[in-house]
Amino acid sequence: MGRHREGISTTGADPGKEYAPIVLRKSPEFETAYDRELSHFIQCIQSGSQPEVTLQDACIASKIARAALESAHSGLPVNMLGFEEKGG
């Protein structure tokens, strides 16, 4: 059977061998949308420029996300006009 060493299970032919830890590095080409958003916002603060996404854009996205959550919980479609009127 395998050998357990520091949370890593191995089944190698040499159970006495020391294994170097596996280090996962993030590819420089891979950046999540959140990483890009945060980086852009920091650059705007540093340079004094305006963000590409306005406060109004952010509010609309937040309302859409809350409506989607309500729809997911209720199993019913959500009318955005009615959703906004009742404080969604």
Side-chain angles (χ1 to χ4, degrees):
M1 276 269 123
R3 179 180 173 105
H4 190 305
R5 184 181 305 268
E6 296 180 27
I8 299 173
S9 178
T10 63
T11 57
D14 186 359
K17 182 177 179 183
E18 292 293 322
Y19 293 93
I22 297 173
V23 178
L24 298 176
R25 291 189 173 81
K26 195 161 124 180
S27 169
E29 290 83 33
F30 177 77
E31 189 177 38
T32 66
Y34 180 74
D35 291 336
R36 288 190 306 271
E37 178 184 355
L38 191 56
S39 177
H40 171 69
F41 186 68
I42 291 169
Q43 287 173 359
C44 288
I45 292 171
Q46 291 172 337
S47 68
S49 61
Q50 291 295 314
E52 293 174 8
V53 177
T54 66
L55 178 60
Q56 183 179 8
D57 294 335
C59 289
I60 291 169
S62 178
K63 286 180 182 178
I64 292 170
R66 289 192 315 269
L69 286 172
E70 183 173 308
S71 178
H73 288 293
S74 70
L76 301 170
V78 172
N79 181 321
M80 287 303 294
L81 294 176
F83 184 75
E84 290 180 14
E85 289 171 4
K86 69 177 188 176

